Structures are given as structure tokens and as C-alpha cells.
């Protein structure tokens, strides 16, 4: 059996900022441009996109770690659980249940804060989580698309 390549260092996956900042921002910009540059819609689209992409870790955690987050030192079940919660955030946001989605979001970002700021001491890698928190603040209590 061939051994898989070692995971990149925490936060050094080749698609870290692409998947967690650039693609969601691009998607949100396209959505907002179709609605007279609606700021609330931009925030909602950013959140749905970033959580949809991050949810991949629930079904393919090794690939996600290799390409995006790198070796965080957590067991795979942690990533599977986070992916499940991220799917729940997307489903709740699309249904208009923004309050429970916000609670789950803050919980996930608390984990990101501990991971990047305390454990790995890489504050630059907390930028995607900070953007998620800002978008959560900018999102409507009732979605713009409802």
C-alpha cells in the first residue's frame, strides 16, 4: 500500500485563501451585483459559499486538509463534525433561520480562533474566520432573498 504524502503545515494548504476568501468573495460580489449591490445579500452569499466549500471536510477530510487547512493536529472525526455543522449552517441560512445559523457560526469561529490564534499562533490564518464573523454581522435577521 502506498503511503500518502504528508499534510502541509497548518494553514499552508495551497488553496487556503482561495477557498476560504477569494471564491466566497467573488461569488458574493456576483450575487450582490445582480441586486443593485445589496450589502446584505453580499454577506449572505459570502456565508453560504464559504460554508458550502468548508463543508467538504465532512465527506473528504484528508483531501480538504491536504488542499486547504493543512495538518491542524485534530482527529478526522473533528473535521467530519465541523463539515456536518457547516452543512447545517448553509441549510439554516437558506431556510431563513438566521438566528440558529448565527449561533452555529459563532461556535465554529470560536474553534477557529482557538486553532489559529492560540494553538498554532498564526494570526494571519484567522483572517477567513474574521471575515465570516463580519459577514454574519452584516447579514440580515431576515434574509434579503426571502
Amino acid at each position: 500500500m502506498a503511503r500518502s504524502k504528508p499534510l502541509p503545515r497548518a494553514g499552508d494548504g495551497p488553496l487556503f485563501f482561495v477557498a476560504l476568501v477569494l471564491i466566497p468573495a467573488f461569488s458574493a460580489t456576483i450575487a450582490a451585483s445582480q441586486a443593485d449591490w445589496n450589502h446584505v445579500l453580499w454577506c449572505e452569499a459570502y456565508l453560504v459559499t464559504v460554508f458550502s466549500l468548508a463543508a467538504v471536510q465532512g465527506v473528504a477530510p484528508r483531501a480538504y486538509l491536504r488542499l486547504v487547512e493543512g495538518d491542524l493536529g485534530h482527529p478526522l472525526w473533528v473535521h467530519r463534525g465541523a463539515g456536518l455543522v457547516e452543512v447545517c449552517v448553509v441549510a439554516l441560512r437558506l431556510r431563513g433561520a438566521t438566528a440558529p445559523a448565527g449561533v452555529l457560526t459563532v461556535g465554529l469561529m470560536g474553534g477557529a480562533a482557538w486553532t489559529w490564534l492560540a494553538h498554532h499562533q498564526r494570526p494571519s490564518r484567522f483572517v477567513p474566520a474574521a471575515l465570516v464573523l463580519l459577514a454574519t454581522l452584516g447579514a440580515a435577521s431576515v434574509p434579503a432573498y426571502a
Side-chain angles (χ1 to χ4, degrees):
M1 182 167 104
R3 295 190 63 159
S4 60
K5 289 189 215 176
L7 292 173
R9 186 173 84 127
D12 286 347
L15 299 178
F16 185 84
F17 284 106
V18 172
L20 300 178
V21 176
L22 295 178
I23 292 172
F26 183 68
S27 171
T29 301
I30 291 171
S33 73
Q34 302 302 307
D36 294 327
W37 298 101
N38 184 318
H39 170 74
V40 173
L41 182 60
W42 190 97
C43 292
E44 291 287 345
Y46 184 89
L47 292 168
V48 167
T49 305
V50 76
F51 282 119
S52 295
L53 291 171
V56 169
Q57 69 182 310
V59 293
R62 286 181 183 87
Y64 183 81
L65 294 173
R66 186 175 59 254
L67 295 171
V68 181
E69 289 185 347
D71 186 5
L72 301 180
H74 304 312
L76 288 182
W77 66 264
V78 171
H79 297 284
R80 290 190 190 280
L84 176 62
V85 174
E86 288 156 346
V87 167
C88 290
V89 169
V90 171
L92 288 167
R93 287 216 162 269
L94 292 176
R95 288 191 52 141
T98 55
V103 170
L104 292 176
T105 298
V106 169
L108 287 167
M109 295 311 104
W114 180 85
T115 298
W116 297 118
L117 301 176
H119 184 67
H120 291 290
Q121 298 180 352
R122 298 196 69 189
S124 66
R125 297 314 192 252
F126 183 68
V127 168
L131 292 173
V132 165
L133 290 171
L134 287 172
T136 301
L137 286 173
S141 56
V142 176
Y145 47 80

